[in-house]
Amino acid sequence: MINKTMTTPIMDKTVQTGSYIASISTAIGGFLSLSNIALLLGIASTIALFIVQYRRTQSSEIRDLEYHKARMAALKATSKLGCSDE
């Protein structure tokens, strides 16, 4: 004798999960036409390139600020020593 009450809830849960997965994949598949895929790839690449450019600009500004501070310190040091080209 097989206990059918133990297999029924497991089977129902598996079928329910499978139907949810099938319906979600069908909905996504219906949404993703070639033009929608191109649109999503364009948006993703634009966001990625914006992040890369922003980080590059920030590091460039930090580098320029450090150079400016070092240059000003060097000019102050030479002016305190009394060095002049005249």
Side-chain angles (χ1 to χ4, degrees):
M1 297 218 112
I2 297 175
N3 190 354
K4 292 185 179 182
T5 58
M6 290 299 288
T7 58
T8 304
I10 294 172
M11 183 67 176
D12 288 342
K13 192 171 190 175
T14 305
V15 170
Q16 183 181 8
T17 304
S19 65
Y20 280 128
I21 291 172
S23 64
I24 289 171
S25 64
T26 302
I28 291 172
F31 172 73
L32 291 178
S33 65
L34 191 57
S35 62
N36 287 342
I37 291 171
L39 176 68
L40 292 175
L41 286 175
I43 291 170
S45 65
T46 301
I47 291 170
L49 290 174
F50 172 76
I51 292 169
V52 167
Q53 187 65 28
Y54 179 76
R55 291 183 69 183
R56 185 175 178 200
T57 303
Q58 291 298 317
S59 65
S60 175
E61 288 176 1
I62 291 170
R63 202 171 34 247
D64 290 344
L65 182 62
E66 289 174 358
Y67 175 76
H68 177 71
K69 285 181 181 178
R71 183 74 178 136
M72 291 297 112
L75 287 174
K76 280 185 181 180
T78 56
S79 66
K80 285 183 182 179
L81 291 175
C83 294
S84 63
D85 291 338
E86 297 177 29

